[in-house]
Amino acid sequence: MVTGMPRPRPVPYDPHLEPGLAACRELIEGIPLRAHTIHANRAHFATIVPPLETAIGASPVDFEHVTVAGPAGAPEVELTVLRPHGGVRGAPGIYAIHGGGMILGNRFFGAAGLVDEVVRYGAVAATVEYRLAPEHPAPAAAEDCYTGLVWFAEHARDLGVDPSRILVSGASAGGGLSAAVALMARDRGGPALAGQLLDCPMLDDRNESVSSRQYDGIGIWDRHNNDTAWNAVLGADRGTEGVSPYAAPARAADLSGLPPAFVTVGAAEVFRDEAVEYATRIWATGGQAELHVWAGAYHGFTGFSPDAGVSRAAAATRASWIRRVLGSTGRSR
């Protein structure tokens, strides 16, 4: 880790985003996230994730919970499948991985957005429950996510999904795990993904970038939170050459042969530079990546500041890419 260096001046926040940032901090940051407070933060986090039924509300979406065999020697993996009411055939598939630094959260975190995508694209979605660190260090989370993806792809036709139109998607830790799952699918000859949507992705355990030092004690997921999470995930291996790319995808020596990537991140957050570098390295192999860095935007800004101009632009751009990659123009039957 970089030590003894002055913190560079941070990029200022878009003033239209600041009320949402303040509301987000008030809601989720009651207890500083450190090694000894992970469990207290996890308990608090659980209170702010609404039940799936609340996330669905009046939307025409059905769901079912599924339990599948886990990775070798590991527990079973739970998933929840969401589909348009009445069923679909040949629909796009969205495999969603939740955020929370790989130490917090559950598969219903962000479910409201997933429900919206099921309705908007006529898609069938699955959201996966993965083991959390420090109780289950790497590669537990990635292996659980990959296991769930394999099940989703193998059962695609039974679920009404076109197996050639499956997208893996996640934000923050979920973005990093989505990148990891794409690497695993490539390396293991697994599901052929149509794309990987990496939203403010957590990719690099080293925490050495300029943006990681700009947002030290600033924002809703700062340098200290990032250190806490990576220490929990990797333990003594963190920062060494022994870190697997399936734990920290930025460690991958080869980013060729991956599905098209959509990489989106705020300019005013800790993950900015590693996201930009990841997209740049995909391009360097001749791969496909679409990169968006949103001016003045904090970590996860679209969720808490949805009406701000930059958030509306980010949402529209995300929707455009999904439609282009999945070839979806609406509900399929």
Side-chain angles (χ1 to χ4, degrees):
M1 312 306 156
V2 175
T3 59
M5 296 179 64
R7 187 180 77 193
R9 183 178 180 179
V11 175
Y13 293 117
D14 180 329
H16 298 288
L17 296 176
E18 288 185 350
L21 173 60
C24 181
R25 292 197 64 165
E26 183 176 352
L27 181 64
I28 69 173
E29 291 205 338
I31 308 167
L33 183 59
R34 303 294 182 264
H36 65 284
T37 66
I38 289 174
H39 290 93
N41 273 276
R42 193 180 293 171
H44 173 65
F45 206 81
T47 68
I48 65 174
V49 177
L52 180 61
E53 292 83 357
T54 300
I56 292 174
S59 298
V61 172
D62 299 327
F63 71 90
E64 64 174 316
H65 303 306
V66 179
T67 302
V68 306
E76 294 176 320
V77 174
E78 295 181 330
L79 302 99
T80 296
V81 177
L82 302 96
R83 56 170 67 87
H85 182 68
V88 287
R89 293 196 309 271
I94 300 174
Y95 184 76
I97 304 175
H98 73 81
M102 292 181 274
I103 58 176
L104 309 172
N106 60 43
R107 69 186 185 277
F108 306 122
F109 178 40
L114 192 59
V115 168
D116 177 72
E117 290 180 342
V118 169
V119 175
R120 182 188 299 258
Y121 307 113
V124 176
T127 177
V128 59
E129 196 76 44
Y130 57 84
R131 288 170 290 167
L132 301 176
E135 297 90 336
H136 304 285
E143 291 291 353
D144 288 351
C145 292
Y146 182 71
T147 294
L149 173 65
V150 170
W151 178 88
F152 188 56
E154 288 179 344
H155 292 80
R157 296 197 185 281
D158 295 336
L159 296 169
V161 173
D162 177 349
S164 71
R165 292 199 294 156
I166 294 175
L167 169 72
V168 62
S169 172
S172 196
L177 287 166
S178 294
V181 163
L183 289 166
M184 296 166 88
R186 178 199 66 181
D187 296 345
R188 298 178 180 182
L193 296 169
Q196 51 179 324
L197 197 161
L198 313 182
D199 187 349
C200 53
M202 179 180 176
L203 298 166
D204 195 339
D205 65 292
R206 290 163 290 197
N207 211 20
E208 293 175 347
S209 69
V210 170
S211 61
S212 75
R213 290 185 287 114
Q214 286 177 301
Y215 296 92
D216 184 341
I218 302 173
I220 60 169
W221 185 269
D222 75 341
R223 179 180 180 82
H224 293 293
N225 290 22
N226 209 33
D227 275 332
T228 297
W230 280 118
N231 288 340
V233 171
L234 295 172
D237 288 339
R238 185 181 170 207
T240 72
E241 294 304 312
V243 174
S244 166
Y246 304 152
R251 297 302 198 104
D254 178 13
L255 295 184
S256 65
L258 293 171
F262 180 83
V263 184
T264 180
V265 69
E269 71 149 295
V270 70
F271 293 139
R272 181 196 66 219
D273 294 348
E274 60 200 68
V276 170
E277 181 179 4
Y278 202 74
T280 301
R281 291 182 56 212
I282 290 174
W283 290 324
T285 71
Q288 296 184 36
E290 184 170 319
L291 171 67
H292 297 273
V293 183
W294 298 100
Y298 63 88
H299 185 67
F301 66 101
T302 56
F304 277 85
S305 304
D307 296 326
V310 67
S311 300
R312 293 196 300 269
T317 302
R318 173 193 177 107
S320 170
W321 183 83
I322 292 175
R323 289 188 185 281
R324 283 179 280 129
V325 167
L326 295 182
S328 173
T329 57
R331 182 168 177 174
S332 304
R333 282 197 176 274

